[in-house]
Amino acid sequence: MTHTIHIKGITKRFGRLAALDTVSFEVPARSIFGLLGPNGAGKTTLFSIIANFLKPDAGEVEVLGIDTRHISRLQGRMSILPQDARFQTNVPILEQLVFFRLLDGQTKEQAQKDVLETLKLVGLDSVAKRRVGSLSHGMIKRLGIAQAFLGQPEVILLDEPTAGLDP
């Protein structure tokens, strides 16, 4: 497979507004790919279609050769971080992320090890036992990035991952 993501003729309308109009492109395998554009250009709409949060009016999306209408076939192979990801405010960070890894079939011990390593990468290992509600906005954004990088996903979709982060 030479392309990780294949977008073909995606169109999405909201009433009379065409948010996306026959958008087509491919993302090469083993690449870092970004979409840049002004507010309202359709970046989040396209992200939501790729993630199967929204259905396109026309067109097709494949990730790793799988039609995203069958998104469950990508479980463990693709991770998604929406721009406004939410976490349970009254549950400790470590507990929430370990739970996500348990859902992927990890043992509790392996899940905890994986989560702590990932939290270290984003500078949150020292606050792993704190409740999410005690974190600053920037720390919550880093938590979202950590969640997206858990496990070994082949494709990671991030929508506005750096908004609200300090340099």
Side-chain angles (χ1 to χ4, degrees):
M1 175 184 334
T2 59
H3 295 93
T4 299
I5 299 176
H6 182 82
I7 308 291
K8 183 178 178 186
I10 292 295
T11 297
K12 181 64 180 175
R13 295 178 107 28
F14 296 101
R16 294 190 321 181
L17 172 68
L20 300 169
D21 187 12
T22 61
V23 173
S24 297
F25 63 90
E26 294 176 332
V27 177
R30 304 185 57 80
S31 69
I32 296 174
F33 186 88
L35 290 176
L36 299 174
N39 292 345
K43 300 177 303 293
T44 295
T45 299
L46 183 59
F47 171 93
S48 296
I49 289 171
I50 296 169
N52 202 40
F53 297 155
L54 282 177
K55 302 292 183 211
D57 297 327
E60 301 171 2
V61 177
E62 285 186 356
V63 175
L64 300 170
I66 297 169
D67 186 320
T68 57
R69 289 177 295 183
H70 308 287
I71 197 83
S72 64
R73 294 180 186 164
L74 290 165
Q75 182 178 359
R77 299 183 69 195
M78 180 172 79
S79 77
I80 301 164
L81 175 63
Q83 66 178 338
D84 295 319
R86 302 277 188 240
F87 294 91
Q88 295 295 317
T89 59
N90 61 340
V91 178
I93 295 166
L94 182 62
E95 193 174 313
Q96 285 190 63
L97 295 185
V98 165
F99 178 72
F100 294 149
R101 296 303 291 139
L102 293 173
L103 291 174
D104 279 341
Q106 293 286 308
T107 66
K108 188 167 185 173
E109 295 75 26
Q110 184 57 45
Q112 191 161 0
K113 181 179 182 235
D114 185 23
V115 167
L116 289 171
E117 288 173 3
T118 305
L119 287 174
K120 187 171 187 169
L121 290 174
V122 298
L124 292 177
D125 53 317
S126 65
V127 297
K129 294 187 179 182
R130 284 179 45 188
R131 296 181 188 284
V132 173
S134 72
L135 302 179
S136 70
H137 176 76
M139 292 169 92
I140 292 172
K141 292 296 283 192
R142 286 191 279 148
L143 175 59
I145 293 169
Q147 179 266 317
F149 280 83
L150 284 175
Q152 296 181 346
E154 297 169 61
V155 175
I156 302 170
L157 297 179
L158 307 170
D159 189 11
E160 301 275 355
T162 59
L165 285 180
D166 290 336

